[in-house]
Amino acid sequence: MCQPGWAAARTAAVRLRELKDLRRVRDRIDRTYASPLDVPALAREAGLTAETLHRRFTRAYGTTPYAFVTALRTSRPAAVGSRAVSEKHTGTPGT
């Protein structure tokens, strides 16, 4: 017979593994945000279907993978542009 806390522990372990896999997917999107987003390929790497990846990513991060990469693409050029302006005005890189 199972101990009463085992089911909860098993559920928590599955959830942590799921979050670890999603973090790996999110990091991959973050590293390759400039290239086209291929959700089916990301899902295959995570061992999931595209629909399951989309559902779990949305549940974990509150945004879809497409919205996440769109937000990265709009925020990153702004950061790069501000650094370039800083270098232009001060003459020193990164200050």
Side-chain angles (χ1 to χ4, degrees), residues 19-33 42 45 57 61 68 72 76:
L19 288 173
K20 184 176 101 175
D21 293 341
L22 287 174
R23 179 58 191 226
R24 202 173 293 131
V25 168
R26 185 175 158 210
D27 289 345
R28 172 113 191 278
I29 293 171
D30 191 41
R31 284 191 312 272
T32 61
Y33 73 93
L42 290 171
E45 289 178 15
F57 192 95
Y61 297 113
F68 180 74
L72 283 176
R76 295 284 169 89

Side-chain angles (χ1 to χ4, degrees), residues 25 28-29 32-46 48-50 53 65-66 69 73:
V25 168
R28 172 113 191 278
I29 293 171
T32 61
Y33 73 93
S35 62
L37 181 63
D38 187 5
V39 172
L42 290 171
R44 278 192 303 274
E45 289 178 15
L48 304 169
T49 65
L53 174 64
Y66 292 105
V69 77
R73 288 175 181 163

